Amino acid sequence: MADFFLHAFALVSSPSVLLLIVIGVLFGIIGGSVPGFTVTMAILVVFPFTFAMDPVSGVSLMVSVFVGGYSGGIVSGVMLGIPGTPSSITTVYDGYPMALRGEPGRALGIGVAASFIGTVISVAVLVFFGPLLASFSMNFRPWEISALIIFALTLVAGLSNGALLKGMLAAALGLLITTVGYDRNSNLRFDFDLPVMSSGFEILPVMIGIFAFSQLMDNIEKLREEKRTRSEAVPDISIPYGRIIRDIASQKTNTIRSSLIGSLIGALPGTGGTVANFISYDQAKKFSRHPERFGTGIPDGIIASEASNSAVAGGAFVPTLALGIPGDLPMAIMMGVLILHGITPGPLMFEQNPVLVGAIYASLLVGAVVMVLCQLLLVRWFARIALIPQQILVPAVLMLCAIGAYALNNNLFDIWVLFGFGIVGYLLWKAEVPLTPLILGVVLGNNLEQQLFRALDLDGNWLTFLTRPLSATFLALAVISVIFSLYQNRKIQQKAALNQ
Amino acid sequence: MKLNISKTLVGCSIALCASVLPFTAMADDYPNQDIRLIIPYGAGGPTDVIFRKIAREAEKELGVSIVPVNMSGAGATLGSRHVKDAEPDGYTILGGHDNIALSKIAGMVDYSYEAFEPVSRVTQTFNMPTTYPEHPVQDASEIPQYIEDHPGEVKFSMIPTSTDHFFWMQMFDAMGIDPADVKLISYPDTTEQMAALMAKEIDFTITNAACCASFYEDGTFRPLGVAHSERLSGSALEDIKTFHEMGVDMESATSRGIFAPKGTPQERIDILADAFETALENEELRTTLINELGSEPSFLAGQAYQDFLTENEANLTKVSKNIEF
């Protein structure tokens, strides 16, 4: 074990591979930080370059893009209030308010540190519990995954702070959006006789539209008033290292819990970073002594969000490496790279290619260190995008969003989806409808439909959902989660009434 | 990289000058700019990997780059539609397979192979019914008896309207199984079917050497036969009986090939076909395709490929009579 690990470390720390890791991390950070460019996109762009490389170099490059990508969402989330990727939506909740309050450096620093810890813990989970966790993840069959998704959707009730009904409606609207296009038996639904509608709406342009485009329209609206206050709005983006260490130290339990949630959810097939993100944010809020302060710009929220989404990077390797079954799209591409180099992931990989498995672990760790260095050295420069006048920033970001949406499938229709949902998002936002449940509905809708109907195909009895222990547990958690958030909302309201 | 950019620039300027000249004067120059190879599936999947590998060899013959472009969505019809409607100048081509005919048969689109100029078949990947090692069925010929012993309980996994779906229907037909006696469970892709088989959620799934050779080797899965007339090569594969040996008269493969938009000049089609033929003669590529990607290089062009496609569509249409869409 230690032997091949050391050998792998030696391979990974050769100058040429190190250089690739630095490039990969930087590219990942940029991919994750530009709204709309997501980790998946960054992976897709890098993928063809690995063709000409030896396996260790190719794998290290891909792994480092992951590590960078999952930490990259911090910058645009904190500085612009726009999540760079779906898995950094909850980073915005506390990161953006903290930056607005004049502490952007602290918000970025906490995010980077939490990302680093999340990655390291997830690598530990991967190394020590990989095969064990993989066999456990095989217990997650259609019943369990449906129940888990329902649980994740009920969490939005707790996150919509009082607007329970609107949150539920938004989630339902999100689910409805995913019914456009071919269903699982290739029947066409809601296409309005337009061939472009037949593939449904891509999640990414919908998300960018709803979050980024609506936010940008709001920025345009505020342009006039902002001109007057502009001169004094130069934020201080130096990083207060001591403060950050204290922030993290005071959140040890939260950091470790969020990293473990990220690793676990990452290891489950059919879920991914977004679900991990929401569950760990929600858990941090529920275990907190001051849940009402979540969303106002406290370190707890940023840590919960960034530790968990970075931990997904390590967790997602578990089923891919140990079973040969990729859990999500980036992992499917990763597996393609391995196959291309003549290595088939699966139980045999540990015996036949121990060094390559070691190289994956090693480059995850080296990538994490490189990520922290790059982020801390460069984040101040990345963050300066927020200083660019809105008149320039708004159209530039919008254009990048559109390119990102287009590049995913090389499909022009996706740009129209972006604009269409941008307008929808803006109107909903004006009507004070929470947008996150909508996105969560869009992200999870297709999977829920697939898993639910598959469960019923396999066994027509609805009671199976209650007789299988894991799915029953998730459904119980879903019910508890709704009751708990109702109770918590009432408590917050009472506190508010007392203060008046 | 630098070389490529300058090559592209030169190519573009030539194309720009030439666009004012009569079209025929151009024929000899083809190809003088990068060729876009549209792959209607996501990056990293078997179709993507196979076409990328072959394209890297073929571009050496053509002297220009073949740029693979992934355009997935709507059951691979997003990419095929894009090529169908593209300029028929030989600079946009499709890397497709049987799915082109299947999409039409399933009623997803109203065009099939006839909407394209077929360039060449490149590979065939033969299908195998597969189960988990503890399953009582030892080879495919035992399936009918097993279904009789367990009426209405035997679960077959499939990807709706894909080759998998048609494979079962063809096999049921060849073995005299009534589809009403079994359960067909749908999954979105191969990896999910593999996970379901590992969890013993289903009895049988379709695999091929491309996805699963190492799983046969370590005993995670047991192949029940290969739907081909002769045995496959490779240590994990040569022991697998063919359907013909079991007395089942049936063959089934995913046949991947290159397609150009209708109206592409014949001399350009020929240039492309020659390049792919030469590419497939490369020993290293052949070894990779067979050993690592589980696919047999099987070049076919011109009238022979046209005939193959016509027969392929007719077979699939015949099978589809038993499928409800």
Side-chain angles (χ1 to χ4, degrees), chain A residues 309-355:
Chain A
N309 75 15
S310 291
V312 167
F317 276 99
V318 168
T320 315
L321 294 183
L323 299 174
I325 292 173
D328 55 12
L329 186 59
M331 274 301 144
I333 301 166
M334 188 75 206
M335 201 164 127
V337 172
L338 292 174
I339 292 173
L340 210 75
H341 288 296
I343 301 139
T344 316
L348 279 184
M349 192 177 164
F350 290 86
E351 289 163 38
Q352 292 175 345
N353 283 294
V355 173

Short mmCIF file of all heavy atoms in Angstrom, two decimals, chain A residues 309-355:
data_model
loop_
_atom_site.label_atom_id
_atom_site.label_comp_id
_atom_site.label_asym_id
_atom_site.label_seq_id
_atom_site.Cartn_x
_atom_site.Cartn_y
_atom_site.Cartn_z
N ASN A 309 -18.67 20.79 -1.15
CA ASN A 309 -18.58 20.62 -2.61
C ASN A 309 -17.19 20.20 -3.06
O ASN A 309 -17.03 19.50 -4.06
CB ASN A 309 -19.16 21.81 -3.39
CG ASN A 309 -18.30 23.04 -3.39
OD1 ASN A 309 -17.13 23.01 -3.05
ND2 ASN A 309 -18.89 24.16 -3.77
N SER A 310 -16.15 20.60 -2.31
CA SER A 310 -14.81 20.13 -2.68
C SER A 310 -14.63 18.67 -2.30
O SER A 310 -13.90 17.94 -2.98
CB SER A 310 -13.74 20.98 -2.00
OG SER A 310 -13.76 22.27 -2.57
N ALA A 311 -15.28 18.23 -1.22
CA ALA A 311 -15.16 16.84 -0.79
C ALA A 311 -15.80 15.90 -1.82
O ALA A 311 -15.42 14.74 -1.93
CB ALA A 311 -15.79 16.65 0.57
N VAL A 312 -16.74 16.43 -2.58
CA VAL A 312 -17.38 15.62 -3.62
C VAL A 312 -16.33 15.10 -4.61
O VAL A 312 -16.42 13.99 -5.10
CB VAL A 312 -18.47 16.44 -4.35
CG1 VAL A 312 -18.91 15.73 -5.62
CG2 VAL A 312 -19.66 16.65 -3.44
N ALA A 313 -15.27 15.92 -4.86
CA ALA A 313 -14.24 15.53 -5.82
C ALA A 313 -13.65 14.17 -5.46
O ALA A 313 -13.54 13.28 -6.31
CB ALA A 313 -13.14 16.59 -5.88
N GLY A 314 -13.27 13.98 -4.19
CA GLY A 314 -12.71 12.70 -3.77
C GLY A 314 -13.76 11.61 -3.74
O GLY A 314 -13.53 10.49 -4.20
N GLY A 315 -14.92 11.96 -3.20
CA GLY A 315 -15.98 10.96 -3.06
C GLY A 315 -16.42 10.38 -4.39
O GLY A 315 -16.65 9.18 -4.50
N ALA A 316 -16.48 11.23 -5.39
CA ALA A 316 -16.99 10.78 -6.69
C ALA A 316 -16.08 9.73 -7.32
O ALA A 316 -16.52 8.96 -8.17
CB ALA A 316 -17.15 11.98 -7.62
N PHE A 317 -14.81 9.70 -6.90
CA PHE A 317 -13.90 8.69 -7.44
C PHE A 317 -14.21 7.29 -6.91
O PHE A 317 -13.80 6.31 -7.50
CB PHE A 317 -12.44 9.04 -7.10
CG PHE A 317 -11.83 10.00 -8.07
CD1 PHE A 317 -11.75 11.35 -7.78
CD2 PHE A 317 -11.34 9.55 -9.28
CE1 PHE A 317 -11.20 12.24 -8.67
CE2 PHE A 317 -10.77 10.44 -10.18
CZ PHE A 317 -10.71 11.79 -9.88
N VAL A 318 -14.90 7.23 -5.77
CA VAL A 318 -15.11 5.92 -5.13
C VAL A 318 -15.79 4.91 -6.05
O VAL A 318 -15.20 3.87 -6.36
CB VAL A 318 -15.85 6.08 -3.78
CG1 VAL A 318 -16.31 4.74 -3.26
CG2 VAL A 318 -14.95 6.77 -2.78
N PRO A 319 -17.01 5.17 -6.53
CA PRO A 319 -17.63 4.15 -7.39
C PRO A 319 -16.92 4.02 -8.74
O PRO A 319 -16.88 2.92 -9.31
CB PRO A 319 -19.06 4.66 -7.59
CG PRO A 319 -19.04 6.10 -7.26
CD PRO A 319 -17.91 6.31 -6.30
N THR A 320 -16.33 5.10 -9.22
CA THR A 320 -15.65 5.04 -10.51
C THR A 320 -14.45 4.09 -10.45
O THR A 320 -14.28 3.23 -11.31
CB THR A 320 -15.16 6.44 -10.93
OG1 THR A 320 -16.21 7.36 -10.70
CG2 THR A 320 -14.78 6.47 -12.39
N LEU A 321 -13.63 4.26 -9.41
CA LEU A 321 -12.42 3.45 -9.33
C LEU A 321 -12.72 2.04 -8.82
O LEU A 321 -12.21 1.06 -9.34
CB LEU A 321 -11.40 4.11 -8.40
CG LEU A 321 -10.83 5.43 -8.88
CD1 LEU A 321 -9.78 5.93 -7.89
CD2 LEU A 321 -10.21 5.28 -10.25
N ALA A 322 -13.56 1.94 -7.80
CA ALA A 322 -13.74 0.64 -7.15
C ALA A 322 -14.71 -0.26 -7.91
O ALA A 322 -14.60 -1.47 -7.86
CB ALA A 322 -14.20 0.84 -5.72
N LEU A 323 -15.68 0.33 -8.60
CA LEU A 323 -16.67 -0.51 -9.29
C LEU A 323 -16.62 -0.35 -10.81
O LEU A 323 -17.17 -1.16 -11.54
CB LEU A 323 -18.08 -0.13 -8.83
CG LEU A 323 -18.41 -0.31 -7.35
CD1 LEU A 323 -19.79 0.24 -7.06
CD2 LEU A 323 -18.33 -1.77 -6.98
N GLY A 324 -15.99 0.72 -11.27
CA GLY A 324 -16.02 0.99 -12.71
C GLY A 324 -17.32 1.62 -13.13
O GLY A 324 -17.73 1.51 -14.28
N ILE A 325 -18.01 2.25 -12.17
CA ILE A 325 -19.29 2.87 -12.49
C ILE A 325 -19.24 4.35 -12.11
O ILE A 325 -19.22 4.69 -10.93
CB ILE A 325 -20.43 2.16 -11.74
CG1 ILE A 325 -20.57 0.76 -12.32
CG2 ILE A 325 -21.73 2.92 -11.84
CD1 ILE A 325 -21.52 -0.12 -11.61
N PRO A 326 -19.16 5.23 -13.11
CA PRO A 326 -19.07 6.65 -12.79
C PRO A 326 -20.40 7.19 -12.28
O PRO A 326 -21.45 6.85 -12.81
CB PRO A 326 -18.69 7.29 -14.13
CG PRO A 326 -19.18 6.34 -15.15
CD PRO A 326 -19.17 4.98 -14.54
N GLY A 327 -20.32 8.02 -11.24
CA GLY A 327 -21.54 8.54 -10.63
C GLY A 327 -22.12 9.75 -11.33
O GLY A 327 -23.31 10.00 -11.27
N ASP A 328 -21.27 10.53 -11.98
CA ASP A 328 -21.79 11.73 -12.63
C ASP A 328 -21.04 12.00 -13.94
O ASP A 328 -20.13 11.27 -14.31
CB ASP A 328 -21.73 12.95 -11.70
CG ASP A 328 -20.33 13.19 -11.17
OD1 ASP A 328 -19.39 12.56 -11.69
OD2 ASP A 328 -20.18 13.99 -10.24
N LEU A 329 -21.42 13.06 -14.61
CA LEU A 329 -20.86 13.37 -15.92
C LEU A 329 -19.34 13.57 -15.92
O LEU A 329 -18.63 12.93 -16.70
CB LEU A 329 -21.58 14.57 -16.54
CG LEU A 329 -21.18 14.89 -17.97
CD1 LEU A 329 -21.45 13.72 -18.89
CD2 LEU A 329 -21.94 16.12 -18.46
N PRO A 330 -18.81 14.43 -15.02
CA PRO A 330 -17.35 14.59 -15.03
C PRO A 330 -16.63 13.25 -14.82
O PRO A 330 -15.59 12.99 -15.44
CB PRO A 330 -17.08 15.53 -13.86
CG PRO A 330 -18.35 16.25 -13.63
CD PRO A 330 -19.45 15.33 -14.05
N MET A 331 -17.20 12.40 -13.96
CA MET A 331 -16.56 11.10 -13.70
C MET A 331 -16.65 10.19 -14.93
O MET A 331 -15.74 9.40 -15.18
CB MET A 331 -17.22 10.42 -12.50
CG MET A 331 -16.63 10.85 -11.19
SD MET A 331 -14.86 10.47 -11.14
CE MET A 331 -14.28 11.87 -10.24
N ALA A 332 -17.74 10.30 -15.68
CA ALA A 332 -17.86 9.50 -16.89
C ALA A 332 -16.76 9.89 -17.88
O ALA A 332 -16.17 9.03 -18.53
CB ALA A 332 -19.23 9.71 -17.53
N ILE A 333 -16.45 11.18 -17.96
CA ILE A 333 -15.39 11.64 -18.85
C ILE A 333 -14.04 11.15 -18.34
O ILE A 333 -13.20 10.69 -19.09
CB ILE A 333 -15.41 13.18 -18.94
CG1 ILE A 333 -16.76 13.64 -19.47
CG2 ILE A 333 -14.29 13.67 -19.83
CD1 ILE A 333 -17.00 15.12 -19.29
N MET A 334 -13.88 11.24 -17.01
CA MET A 334 -12.66 10.75 -16.36
C MET A 334 -12.43 9.28 -16.72
O MET A 334 -11.31 8.86 -17.04
CB MET A 334 -12.87 10.89 -14.85
CG MET A 334 -11.66 10.60 -14.03
SD MET A 334 -10.52 11.99 -14.15
CE MET A 334 -9.03 11.10 -13.82
N MET A 335 -13.50 8.50 -16.68
CA MET A 335 -13.39 7.09 -16.99
C MET A 335 -13.00 6.90 -18.45
O MET A 335 -12.22 6.00 -18.77
CB MET A 335 -14.72 6.41 -16.69
CG MET A 335 -14.56 4.94 -16.49
SD MET A 335 -16.01 4.26 -15.72
CE MET A 335 -16.37 2.95 -16.86
N GLY A 336 -13.53 7.76 -19.31
CA GLY A 336 -13.16 7.72 -20.72
C GLY A 336 -11.66 7.89 -20.91
O GLY A 336 -11.03 7.20 -21.71
N VAL A 337 -11.07 8.81 -20.13
CA VAL A 337 -9.63 9.05 -20.22
C VAL A 337 -8.87 7.79 -19.83
O VAL A 337 -7.92 7.39 -20.50
CB VAL A 337 -9.21 10.21 -19.30
CG1 VAL A 337 -7.71 10.34 -19.24
CG2 VAL A 337 -9.83 11.50 -19.78
N LEU A 338 -9.31 7.16 -18.74
CA LEU A 338 -8.63 5.95 -18.28
C LEU A 338 -8.72 4.85 -19.33
O LEU A 338 -7.72 4.21 -19.67
CB LEU A 338 -9.24 5.47 -16.96
CG LEU A 338 -9.00 6.40 -15.76
CD1 LEU A 338 -9.77 5.92 -14.54
CD2 LEU A 338 -7.51 6.46 -15.43
N ILE A 339 -9.92 4.65 -19.88
CA ILE A 339 -10.11 3.60 -20.88
C ILE A 339 -9.24 3.87 -22.10
O ILE A 339 -8.64 2.98 -22.67
CB ILE A 339 -11.60 3.50 -21.27
CG1 ILE A 339 -12.40 2.98 -20.07
CG2 ILE A 339 -11.79 2.59 -22.47
CD1 ILE A 339 -13.89 3.01 -20.29
N LEU A 340 -9.17 5.15 -22.45
CA LEU A 340 -8.38 5.55 -23.60
C LEU A 340 -6.92 5.18 -23.43
O LEU A 340 -6.22 4.89 -24.39
CB LEU A 340 -8.50 7.07 -23.72
CG LEU A 340 -8.38 7.62 -25.09
CD1 LEU A 340 -9.65 7.33 -25.84
CD2 LEU A 340 -8.15 9.11 -25.02
N HIS A 341 -6.46 5.19 -22.18
CA HIS A 341 -5.07 4.83 -21.92
C HIS A 341 -4.93 3.35 -21.62
O HIS A 341 -3.94 2.90 -21.06
CB HIS A 341 -4.51 5.67 -20.77
CG HIS A 341 -4.27 7.10 -21.15
ND1 HIS A 341 -3.35 7.47 -22.08
CD2 HIS A 341 -4.87 8.24 -20.74
CE1 HIS A 341 -3.37 8.78 -22.22
NE2 HIS A 341 -4.28 9.27 -21.44
N GLY A 342 -5.97 2.59 -21.94
CA GLY A 342 -5.88 1.15 -21.80
C GLY A 342 -6.09 0.66 -20.38
O GLY A 342 -5.70 -0.44 -20.03
N ILE A 343 -6.71 1.48 -19.53
CA ILE A 343 -6.94 1.07 -18.15
C ILE A 343 -8.43 1.05 -17.91
O ILE A 343 -9.09 2.06 -18.06
CB ILE A 343 -6.30 2.07 -17.18
CG1 ILE A 343 -4.80 2.13 -17.47
CG2 ILE A 343 -6.55 1.69 -15.74
CD1 ILE A 343 -4.25 3.50 -17.41
N THR A 344 -8.99 -0.12 -17.58
CA THR A 344 -10.41 -0.16 -17.31
C THR A 344 -10.64 -0.06 -15.82
O THR A 344 -10.20 -0.92 -15.06
CB THR A 344 -11.03 -1.46 -17.83
OG1 THR A 344 -10.51 -1.71 -19.12
CG2 THR A 344 -12.53 -1.35 -17.89
N PRO A 345 -11.32 1.01 -15.36
CA PRO A 345 -11.60 1.12 -13.94
C PRO A 345 -12.48 -0.04 -13.50
O PRO A 345 -13.23 -0.59 -14.30
CB PRO A 345 -12.36 2.44 -13.83
CG PRO A 345 -12.03 3.19 -15.06
CD PRO A 345 -11.82 2.15 -16.12
N GLY A 346 -12.38 -0.39 -12.25
CA GLY A 346 -13.12 -1.53 -11.72
C GLY A 346 -12.28 -2.20 -10.67
O GLY A 346 -11.16 -1.77 -10.41
N PRO A 347 -12.81 -3.27 -10.08
CA PRO A 347 -12.09 -3.92 -8.98
C PRO A 347 -10.67 -4.33 -9.38
O PRO A 347 -9.75 -4.30 -8.57
CB PRO A 347 -12.93 -5.15 -8.69
CG PRO A 347 -14.26 -4.88 -9.29
CD PRO A 347 -14.06 -3.93 -10.39
N LEU A 348 -10.49 -4.68 -10.66
CA LEU A 348 -9.18 -5.15 -11.10
C LEU A 348 -8.13 -4.05 -11.13
O LEU A 348 -6.94 -4.31 -11.09
CB LEU A 348 -9.30 -5.74 -12.51
CG LEU A 348 -9.81 -7.17 -12.61
CD1 LEU A 348 -9.76 -7.62 -14.05
CD2 LEU A 348 -8.95 -8.09 -11.74
N MET A 349 -8.60 -2.81 -11.22
CA MET A 349 -7.67 -1.70 -11.39
C MET A 349 -6.67 -1.62 -10.23
O MET A 349 -5.51 -1.31 -10.43
CB MET A 349 -8.46 -0.41 -11.51
CG MET A 349 -7.62 0.75 -11.96
SD MET A 349 -8.64 2.19 -12.16
CE MET A 349 -7.36 3.44 -12.20
N PHE A 350 -7.17 -1.92 -9.00
CA PHE A 350 -6.29 -1.82 -7.84
C PHE A 350 -5.16 -2.85 -7.92
O PHE A 350 -4.07 -2.62 -7.43
CB PHE A 350 -7.10 -2.02 -6.56
CG PHE A 350 -8.00 -0.87 -6.27
CD1 PHE A 350 -9.27 -0.81 -6.82
CD2 PHE A 350 -7.59 0.18 -5.45
CE1 PHE A 350 -10.11 0.26 -6.56
CE2 PHE A 350 -8.42 1.24 -5.18
CZ PHE A 350 -9.68 1.29 -5.76
N GLU A 351 -5.45 -4.02 -8.53
CA GLU A 351 -4.42 -5.04 -8.65
C GLU A 351 -3.52 -4.78 -9.84
O GLU A 351 -2.31 -4.93 -9.77
CB GLU A 351 -5.06 -6.42 -8.83
CG GLU A 351 -5.74 -6.94 -7.59
CD GLU A 351 -6.69 -8.08 -7.94
OE1 GLU A 351 -6.32 -8.88 -8.84
OE2 GLU A 351 -7.77 -8.15 -7.35
N GLN A 352 -4.15 -4.39 -10.97
CA GLN A 352 -3.38 -4.28 -12.20
C GLN A 352 -2.63 -2.97 -12.34
O GLN A 352 -1.58 -2.91 -12.94
CB GLN A 352 -4.30 -4.48 -13.41
CG GLN A 352 -4.84 -5.89 -13.49
CD GLN A 352 -5.85 -6.05 -14.60
OE1 GLN A 352 -6.36 -5.07 -15.12
NE2 GLN A 352 -6.16 -7.29 -14.95
N ASN A 353 -3.21 -1.90 -11.81
CA ASN A 353 -2.59 -0.59 -11.97
C ASN A 353 -2.49 0.16 -10.65
O ASN A 353 -2.95 1.29 -10.55
CB ASN A 353 -3.38 0.26 -12.97
CG ASN A 353 -3.10 -0.15 -14.39
OD1 ASN A 353 -1.99 0.01 -14.87
ND2 ASN A 353 -4.11 -0.71 -15.04
N PRO A 354 -1.88 -0.46 -9.62
CA PRO A 354 -1.85 0.22 -8.32
C PRO A 354 -1.19 1.58 -8.41
O PRO A 354 -1.61 2.52 -7.72
CB PRO A 354 -1.05 -0.74 -7.44
CG PRO A 354 -0.32 -1.63 -8.36
CD PRO A 354 -1.16 -1.73 -9.60
N VAL A 355 -0.18 1.70 -9.27
CA VAL A 355 0.53 2.97 -9.34
C VAL A 355 -0.37 4.08 -9.87
O VAL A 355 -0.34 5.21 -9.39
CB VAL A 355 1.79 2.83 -10.23
CG1 VAL A 355 2.45 4.18 -10.44
CG2 VAL A 355 2.77 1.87 -9.57
#
